[in-house]
Amino acid sequence: MILHGYYRSTAAWRVRIALNLKGVAAEHAFHHLRHGGQRASAYALINPQCLVPALEVDNGAVLTQSLAICEWLEETHPDPPLLPGETWQRGRIRAFALAIACDIHPVQNLKVQERLRALGVTDAEVTGWARWVIQEGLEACETLLADGSGPFCFGTAPTLADLCLVPQLYNARRFGCELSHLARLLAAETACNALAPFAAAAPDRQPDAE
Ligand SMILES: N[C@@H](CCC(=O)N[C@@H](CS)C(=O)NCC(=O)O)C(=O)O
């Protein structure tokens, strides 16, 4: 099994955490996003969206989209669960994960930033745009956890929600977001980072880290 990623890709990071939590071994292939590696013709054959991650399984078949990969891992390796609990709780975990994966991350993604720059938007304006998108989105995420007891997003063990949160907080800091008032999110991040599967998935622990 090969995970195609990049050390600082928050979407690939989600999958690295899932693999580590479930104890599933994978080789890693790295594609330098700042150098356009995701658009190389060989990689476009693996993921026609020219995005990481992509998971190539042993028969050569490929699964794209980080949350689809995480759900496939969940179904093939149920323990420990990324979507624990009864159906309502599982729905809430998915809603939180999707708030990040669908409504924050794609709007601040590299591709969008590059397109804005190509249209003449300045670097400072692009950074401000990403900061605003992430700040507004994470403030809503904090409220989504209002009735929780922690220490993780949804209880006493990490779930798909935490897999999305930790990388997005990293991006939030890169773009200068104000996070100090997001107490529930920060507490969940602290709980996650104390776990070896999360620590081993961090960007600075990846072989292609710069
Ligand atoms: N929805 C996709 C998003 C994938 C994605 O946007 N990946 C980013 C890195 S985090 C990427 O490959 N960006 C390259 C680009 O924007 O050109 C997923 O969850 O897998």
Side-chain angles (χ1 to χ4, degrees):
M1 192 184 288
I2 304 171
L3 177 65
H4 294 267
Y6 174 61
Y7 77 106
R8 220 162 54 176
S9 156
T10 58
W13 185 352
R14 296 169 196 151
V15 178
R16 290 199 299 266
I17 301 168
L19 289 166
N20 292 349
L21 281 169
K22 290 180 177 292
V24 177
E27 291 173 42
H28 293 264
F30 299 102
H31 304 272
H32 200 302
L33 301 188
R34 292 272 167 198
H35 297 168
Q38 71 277 33
R39 291 186 290 276
S41 52
Y43 186 66
L45 293 174
I46 294 170
N47 184 353
Q49 282 191 284
C50 297
L51 299 171
V52 296
L55 188 73
E56 216 175 329
V57 293
D58 292 341
N59 65 5
V62 174
L63 195 56
T64 60
Q65 290 292 337
S66 61
L67 294 195
I69 297 169
C70 289
E71 292 230 17
W72 176 76
L73 284 168
E74 177 77 348
E75 290 176 20
T76 53
H77 300 80
D79 288 317
L82 299 176
L83 289 163
E86 35 70 44
T87 52
W88 186 256
Q89 178 78 345
R90 293 156 65 83
R92 289 194 61 204
I93 294 168
R94 285 192 177 95
F96 184 97
L98 291 170
I100 291 174
C102 294
D103 294 336
I104 301 177
H105 173 262
V107 189
Q108 54 96 126
N109 199 10
L110 178 62
K111 192 170 161 176
V112 173
Q113 292 177 45
E114 285 178 345
R115 185 70 192 140
L116 288 172
R117 287 192 183 95
L119 292 170
V121 181
T122 66
D123 279 347
E125 287 168 334
V126 170
T127 300
W129 159 259
R131 184 187 307 120
W132 177 82
V133 168
I134 301 170
Q135 184 80 46
E136 191 210 32
L138 288 180
E139 284 175 3
C141 286
E142 172 80 5
T143 305
L144 287 174
L145 301 187
D147 61 352
S149 54
F152 296 94
C153 288
F154 290 90
T156 56
T159 66
L160 191 66
D162 300 278
L163 268 60
C164 292
L165 174 64
V166 169
Q168 192 61 55
L169 285 172
Y170 171 91
N171 258 6
R173 292 190 182 93
R174 279 184 61 206
F175 288 101
C177 294
E178 173 52 52
L179 300 176
S180 57
H181 58 301
L182 304 179
R184 294 181 195 87
L185 301 187
L186 294 178
E189 181 191 40
T190 300
C192 289
N193 286 339
L195 301 179
F198 277 83
D204 62 357
R205 297 273 299 273
Q206 307 315 304
D208 63 330
E210 293 171 348

